Structure formats: structure tokens, C-alpha cells
Amino acid sequence: MDYARLSGEAADQLLADLSAVPVADKAEEPAIPTDPNYESDEVDRGSARVTLPQNAEQNDTCELVFAGPSHGNPFVDVDLTATFRCADRTVNVGGFYDGEGCYRLRFLPPEHGPWSFLTTSNARSLDGIEGQFRVAPSNRPGPVRADGCHFRYDNGDPFIPVGTTLYAWTHQDDVQEARTLQTLAEAPYNKVRMCVFPKHYEFNSGEPPRYPFEQLANGQWDTTRFDVKFFDHLERRILDLGRLGIQADLILFHPYDRWGFQSLGAAADDRYTQYVVRRLAALPNVWWSLANEYDLMADKRDEDWERIGLTVADADPVGHLLSIHNGTRIFDFTRPWITHCSIQKTDPASPVPHIEEWFAKWSKPIIIDELGYEGDIQFEWGSLSGEELVHRFWEIAVRGAYATHGETFANQDNLLWWAAGGELVGNSTERIRLLAQMIAECPTGHLEPLSGHFHLRGAGVRGVYELHYLGHYQPRSLKFDWPEGTTADVEIIDTWTTTVDTVPGDFTGPFELSLPGRPNLAVRIRRRPNL
């Protein structure tokens, strides 16, 4: 049964029942150990040719390329790692096989200066290779980190996630992908939720042009051999996003699958996870999401997700952001390997009733990555008005959390933005841009909730920068508790028409403000600088 055809309590109950179904034990293929005798003693140790990075810069991907052996199956027969050192800084990096005798070690240098490296491998020709290269300083901000309940770049600059959903955009043809990138270049979104595996679902049932594994003659997947063209295409698209200043929130597993990728078994899952992380972790704009709707994958228990999460954390020398996303059963975000909370709303009426509780429980950044989509398809979650989606964004923002956009307008080609990208046709994007601007102009670069009226949510810095959202309420006046002795400038913001009207006058101490008496308004109060 397609749970998305249900709504409300019936859908919640079905998903809860599915999540509670016990998983029967099954025979698992064992992990494949590397071959200690992959190369004979006749091969000189450290004899593989290496190409060092040129023009390496701090916080940018640099790559060492080795011309090594290709007999057998190097994807599983060979392991290659290296230790990089600069002064007192040491970074351990795992390499990967890229086909045709090519091995790569990718490194994201956190500091500029002279770096040295030394390789370790069970393949004699790749073992014990050492060298040096210089990393130049740069103004690149580095990867995004969790900072309390918010985010910042590695250089300390605030990062305000304004996300959109593009699950299968890298599984389209070149023309469609180029159209998506052009749209993103003009949109306010700086984070994209996207799947590594192809996705099978309503409006997304075609065959993708590439697959992550080599396919056997009998149609089965050889999970010991990765299709390097698939991963080369994926990483090029992530680089495209990076050039636009967009973070790639990569979903490693998901349940919408007719190819069997959600049920590969533990050994294959771990092999795939390590390969993806080793290959992509040196890209500065990567985030990891273990799963979209993890609790709908009956083949995996919580302990499997724990193992996979630890595999990602262990294989990623950069320490990129890492989370996991729910269907109806929210994961235990207290786990130390989880950096932030990626949540699908569990209350059909509102995405926000538990945000304060979640902050108190987890003390980590919260992103409501699924709060419903602006669109007109047959499902409740995909038929919100643009006005409702923008309202939800504001409701979440003034509670100190973040939200992710999605758009699901039907069209004759069945290429919906939420799945396949292309062009945005809805009304919410420019309104979301205004909200992002309002958050960015807060002196701290983020919003902290403020106490206020029972039906009025405020956030910012008390007495310095306050943003109050009225939402569906439409009072004719409101009193604001502004501190004595400071003068404020006041603006009334229409969050739907995106008009910002300055209220004339000097506002000092507690004051009462006349309002237009219509919904979708916000009030911004800023302390006037002393002249």
C-alpha cells in the first residue's frame, strides 16, 4: 500500500505499524578482507607513480593520484590510506580506487603551509610512498559546522541554511540538470537535499542514465565493483553546486527503490558507505544524511543505522555535518556522531509544536527538512499553497530553527522540482529570500527566540534586533516591551507581498504600534545607532 495516498491519523498509524515490524534475521554476506598478498614480494615497495596536487589551497580539495595495479578487484582487494602532516596537525585520509589502475587520495587541507604525506597499503607498490606539497592560503570559508543550535563556516562566518529538495536531480539528462543549475543560480537556496541512489516514486519512475554498481549478466548488482562513471558524475554535480555556494546534503539510503539498493546487506552497505565518504569527503560543501525516512526501511534496525553512522564519522577526516531523517519515528539525536537534527514534521496540522521541546532535549541545530511542499499534486504533503509554505518557514525561523523548501507542481512531463529539478514555478521562493535576508541582517547571523505575546513569536537579540511574526493573526495594534533609554527604528513587513514599510517616528521604551490588521505580517525593530 502506498502510505502517501493516506492522510492524517491513518497515514501516521500505518507508518508507525511498519516501523514496529520486527526484522527477521537473515544470512549476511561476510565483509571482504583486503588481500595481504595482492602483490608479490617481487614488486618494489612504494614504486607506484604519484602525481602531486598543483596549486593547492586551504579549504579546497587537493588530490594525489597514483598509477597502481589493476589485477583482481582493487575495489575490495586493496586498501590505501595516508597520513598528512603540517606542523603539529595530523590528518588521516582513506583513498579509493577509480578504475583502470587509478587510485586517488583526496584531502581538504585545513591550514596553509608545507604538508607532507606517507601512504600505507596492502599493495606493495602503493605502500610507503612519501612526499611534500605546499598549500597556499585562501579566503575560502571551509566546511559548515554545527555551532550550538546554529551553523557556521569553518572560518567562523555564520551559515543560514535555506534549503530546497531535489531528490533525484542528478539522475536526469544533461539538459535537465543544466536547467536545474541555472535555476539554482538565481534562487536563494544554499542547501540541496539530494539522493545518491536513484529514486522510484510517483512522478519519478523512469530509468536513470547511470547506476552506482556494475550490473551482472543476470541483472544482479555486483556490489563489490562501483561504477566510477556514476560517482564521477555525482561529484561533478556537487562541485557545480559548490561553485554556486550551495551545500549538498547527500542522502545515502532511502526506501523509494525498485533496484534493491535499500536491502544490500550490512557488508555491502558498509562498503558502499566507505567508498562514498572516501570519495566525496574532501569536497567542502558536503553534508551527510544517512537516510531519508530511515524508519520505512524494514531491513535495517536502529543498530544498523548506528553502525553506518559510525562508519561515516570514522571515514570522514573533515568531520562534515551528519544526520538522519525520519518518516514518523524520530531518531535518537543524542547520539554523539549526529551533528544536527533533520526532521520531517510528525504533526499533520503543524511542523512547529515540538521545536522548543527538541531544543531542550538535544541542544543541536534543528532543520525541518520536510514540512510539506508548495504544489498541486494529489497528496496532502504536496499541495500546500505558497502562502502556507512561507508561513511555516517564518513560524520555524522565529523559533530558532530552520526549514527546507520543496515544490511539487504537476506538469505534462512529470518532471517535478522536488524530484527532477528544472524550473521553479511556485510563489514561495522570493518570499523565502526575504526571510533569509532578515535573518542574515541580525547582528549574530541567526535568530534566538524571544518571549512575547501569547500569539506573537519574536526572535533575534533583545533590545538590539527583534523580528516578531504575527502569522495568521491580524491585530490592529500591539504593545512591544522595548528597553528604556534606547531609540528604535520600526518596520512593518508583509511576508507575502514582500513590502517593508518604515513606520515614522522615534520609538523608545515600551511602545504601542498601530498595525494594518491583516495576516502575514512581521514587525522588525532595530536599535538606532548613537550618533
Side-chain angles (χ1 to χ4, degrees), residues 233-251:
H233 175 80
L234 175 63
E235 68 196 35
R236 282 190 287 111
R237 288 299 180 239
I238 296 172
L239 290 169
D240 288 336
L241 294 177
R243 283 186 280 271
L244 297 175
I246 298 173
Q247 305 291 307
D249 193 356
L250 285 177
I251 298 166

Side-chain angles (χ1 to χ4, degrees), residues 349-421:
S350 170
V352 299
H354 304 296
I355 288 178
E356 291 87 350
E357 170 193 340
W358 291 337
F359 274 131
K361 185 176 182 179
W362 299 317
S363 299
K364 294 179 180 181
I366 293 172
I367 306 180
I368 311 298
D369 272 318
E370 283 194 53
L371 66 157
Y373 304 130
E374 180 186 7
D376 59 6
I377 60 175
Q378 65 267 40
F379 306 126
E380 171 269 336
W381 50 263
S383 54
L384 297 182
S385 68
E387 190 173 16
E388 176 61 23
L389 185 66
V390 171
H391 166 67
R392 294 183 182 190
F393 258 78
W394 276 86
E395 283 276 338
I396 290 167
V398 293
R399 286 167 169 79
Y402 303 93
T404 296
H405 159 275
E407 185 178 290
T408 48
F409 285 99
N411 57 64
Q412 62 181 5
D413 297 321
N414 276 344
L415 295 175
L416 281 62
W417 173 264
W418 135 95

Side-chain angles (χ1 to χ4, degrees), residues 121-332:
S121 178
N122 65 304
R124 287 178 58 85
S125 62
L126 296 170
D127 187 48
I129 299 174
E130 55 185 330
Q132 293 183 342
F133 57 93
R134 178 166 288 276
V135 173
S138 80
N139 59 2
R140 301 175 188 274
V144 175
R145 311 290 189 189
D147 183 17
C149 291
H150 301 283
F151 298 94
R152 61 169 175 81
Y153 287 103
D154 207 42
N155 69 353
D157 292 346
F159 176 80
I160 303 164
V162 185
T164 189
T165 306
L166 285 166
Y167 286 130
W169 84 276
T170 61
H171 300 281
Q172 312 303 314
D173 61 36
D174 290 344
V175 173
Q176 180 73 357
E177 292 180 4
R179 187 178 296 120
T180 301
L181 289 167
Q182 180 59 43
T183 300
L184 288 170
E186 299 169 2
Y189 304 117
N190 60 11
K191 182 177 83 77
V192 164
R193 293 189 73 223
M194 52 188 283
C195 299
V196 176
F197 288 136
K199 182 178 180 183
H200 173 75
Y201 193 66
E202 296 272 356
F203 310 105
N204 193 40
S205 57
E207 284 299 317
R210 290 162 291 271
Y211 299 96
F213 305 105
E214 293 187 11
Q215 196 165 23
L216 301 173
N218 63 3
Q220 298 299 307
W221 302 110
D222 183 351
T223 63
T224 70
R225 294 181 182 272
F226 299 99
D227 187 325
V228 296
K229 292 181 179 179
F230 173 94
F231 288 98
D232 176 71
H233 175 80
L234 175 63
E235 68 196 35
R236 282 190 287 111
R237 288 299 180 239
I238 296 172
L239 290 169
D240 288 336
L241 294 177
R243 283 186 280 271
L244 297 175
I246 298 173
Q247 305 291 307
D249 193 356
L250 285 177
I251 298 166
L252 298 180
F253 297 91
H254 65 79
Y256 302 104
D257 169 36
R258 66 173 182 270
W259 303 277
F261 299 139
Q262 66 169 307
S263 304
L264 300 175
D269 285 348
D270 293 351
R271 196 160 49 237
Y272 153 78
T273 299
Q274 185 179 79
Y275 186 82
V276 171
V277 176
R278 286 189 172 194
R279 182 157 191 145
L280 302 179
L283 278 59
N285 62 316
V286 163
W287 300 21
W288 309 117
S289 177
L290 293 197
N292 189 59
E293 299 177 344
Y294 81 93
D295 45 326
L296 302 190
M297 284 178 270
D299 283 347
K300 290 180 173 60
R301 302 180 175 92
D302 284 359
E303 52 263 37
D304 293 309
W305 295 117
E306 177 77 9
R307 187 194 73 253
I308 295 169
L310 291 172
T311 298
V312 172
D314 182 64
D316 180 3
V318 177
H320 287 290
L321 292 168
L322 171 59
S323 194
I324 186 170
H325 176 81
N326 64 285
T328 61
R329 185 169 63 90
I330 294 176
F331 201 79
D332 177 10

Side-chain angles (χ1 to χ4, degrees), residues 47-185:
S47 58
R49 186 177 72 254
V50 58
T51 302
L52 297 181
Q54 301 296 315
N55 304 315
E57 291 188 356
Q58 180 183 7
N59 285 325
D60 191 22
T61 308
C62 68
E63 181 178 83
L64 282 66
V65 183
F66 301 82
S70 60
H71 61 278
N73 182 0
F75 288 110
V76 294
D77 292 339
V78 178
D79 188 42
L80 171 65
T81 61
T83 299
F84 292 83
R85 290 188 171 88
C86 178
D88 296 332
R89 193 74 171 259
T90 299
V91 181
N92 296 312
V93 176
F96 64 93
Y97 184 61
D98 202 25
E100 299 182 350
C102 177
Y103 297 79
R104 301 182 189 272
L105 277 164
R106 289 181 175 159
F107 174 53
L108 188 67
E111 298 178 6
H112 62 85
W115 283 84
S116 65
F117 70 91
L118 175 65
T119 67
T120 302
S121 178
N122 65 304
R124 287 178 58 85
S125 62
L126 296 170
D127 187 48
I129 299 174
E130 55 185 330
Q132 293 183 342
F133 57 93
R134 178 166 288 276
V135 173
S138 80
N139 59 2
R140 301 175 188 274
V144 175
R145 311 290 189 189
D147 183 17
C149 291
H150 301 283
F151 298 94
R152 61 169 175 81
Y153 287 103
D154 207 42
N155 69 353
D157 292 346
F159 176 80
I160 303 164
V162 185
T164 189
T165 306
L166 285 166
Y167 286 130
W169 84 276
T170 61
H171 300 281
Q172 312 303 314
D173 61 36
D174 290 344
V175 173
Q176 180 73 357
E177 292 180 4
R179 187 178 296 120
T180 301
L181 289 167
Q182 180 59 43
T183 300
L184 288 170

Side-chain angles (χ1 to χ4, degrees), residues 488-503:
D489 293 317
V490 178
E491 296 160 311
I492 297 175
I493 302 157
D494 190 311
T495 64
W496 185 246
T497 65
T498 69
T499 56
V500 180
D501 295 323
T502 300
V503 181

